[in-house]
Amino acid sequence: MIKVAPSMLAADYMHLDSEIDKVVASGADVLHYDVMDGTFVPGITFGQGILKMVAKKPIPMDVHLMIANPIKHVREFAEAGAKYITVHQEAANFELRDTLRAIREAGCLAGVSVKPFTSVDAIADVLNEVDLILIMTVEPGKGGQKLIPFTVDKVRQVREMCRKAGVNPVIEVDGGVNLETAHLVTEAGAQMLVAGSAFFKAQDPAEFVKALKAMPQAE
């Protein structure tokens, strides 16, 4: 079954406690926590302090570090309560393998992400170091964007690349996921869906999550 990860980026920050309770009550699998530093991406969002408070809730935290030099901050986010920590290939650069190992050594599951215009070949040599691969289907840094159509093929490419390598990380997709687009990426091989605006604007979040979990999957 597809896993669902509502994104805090689209939550109402004035009522963050109740918004997270909404995620928990919906039956979602994890809570997606976007960290932006204003350098790797234009926006600035949450830090470790808020994560420590959010981590008290009964739902695992999927932390997406859209920051420069992520290796410097891995342990802090692990200690703050992350279950998954995902870093960008473009940000980690030559330290990518060391960064992924640092995530695992800190007791978390390690993820790697690529932007829409980054070739999936850029992560081919670290497939044995990751538990999760996050394909960005929009440009990172801003919520509410529409899914970029050509990124669906990248999901297929990653799935095939993993099959040939004999590895089975979770394939996650983030960007423009809603009830109209989700089937495109699940049929291509996505196993975990990040949904921000579509989740928090849904009239019935639990039904929304149920519908995403029921999306057709790749054979």
Side-chain angles (χ1 to χ4, degrees):
M1 183 179 289
I2 301 297
K3 293 185 177 181
V4 180
S7 173
M8 280 180 62
L9 189 62
D12 179 352
Y13 303 160
M14 288 292 291
H15 303 94
L16 201 53
D17 188 59
S18 61
E19 290 282 76
I20 296 169
D21 286 343
K22 182 190 298 182
V23 174
V24 174
S26 74
D29 300 279
V30 297
L31 182 61
H32 192 77
Y33 186 89
D34 286 305
V35 180
M36 306 179 191
D37 63 356
T39 299
F40 180 66
V41 293
I44 298 175
T45 55
F46 318 100
Q48 299 91 327
I50 294 179
L51 178 58
K52 286 181 181 179
M53 293 184 286
V54 175
K56 296 175 183 178
K57 298 289 186 177
I59 187 168
M61 297 297 297
D62 173 26
V63 177
H64 179 194
L65 297 182
M66 291 180 270
I67 63 176
N69 300 314
I71 196 169
K72 295 182 179 180
H73 304 282
V74 163
R75 185 157 294 279
E76 295 172 21
F77 281 99
E79 291 174 351
K83 177 178 179 178
Y84 297 90
I85 296 180
T86 297
V87 298
H88 271 265
Q89 181 275 333
E90 303 91 345
N93 204 355
F94 297 111
E95 293 184 315
L96 180 57
R97 188 179 297 273
D98 289 340
T99 304
L100 294 169
R101 289 177 177 173
I103 293 170
R104 284 179 161 180
E105 289 170 3
C108 297
L109 297 174
V112 64
S113 182
V114 288
K115 296 180 182 181
F117 292 94
T118 298
S119 170
V120 297
D121 292 338
I123 60 172
D125 62 347
V126 296
L127 293 181
N128 62 335
E129 304 281 355
V130 300
D131 304 290
L132 179 147
I133 298 173
L134 171 56
I135 302 300
M136 292 301 300
T137 44
V138 299
E139 281 296 322
K142 185 176 67 174
Q145 301 180 65
K146 292 183 179 180
L147 183 145
I148 301 172
F150 75 79
T151 59
V152 176
D153 286 332
K154 295 184 69 175
V155 178
R156 294 191 184 94
Q157 291 167 16
V158 165
R159 180 169 177 259
E160 180 62 15
M161 190 166 63
C162 291
R163 186 191 66 78
K164 289 182 177 179
V167 296
N168 191 34
V170 174
I171 299 175
E172 183 177 35
V173 163
D174 183 1
V177 173
N178 55 44
L179 295 180
E180 287 70 45
T181 61
H183 74 94
L184 299 174
V185 291
T186 60
E187 290 171 345
Q191 300 156 308
M192 184 182 294
L193 303 177
V194 178
S197 301
F199 174 86
F200 285 103
K201 291 180 180 179
Q203 290 188 347
D204 188 333
E207 284 300 314
F208 176 80
V209 168
K210 183 179 179 180
L212 288 189
K213 286 176 176 281
M215 288 289 166
Q217 293 183 262
E219 298 180 1

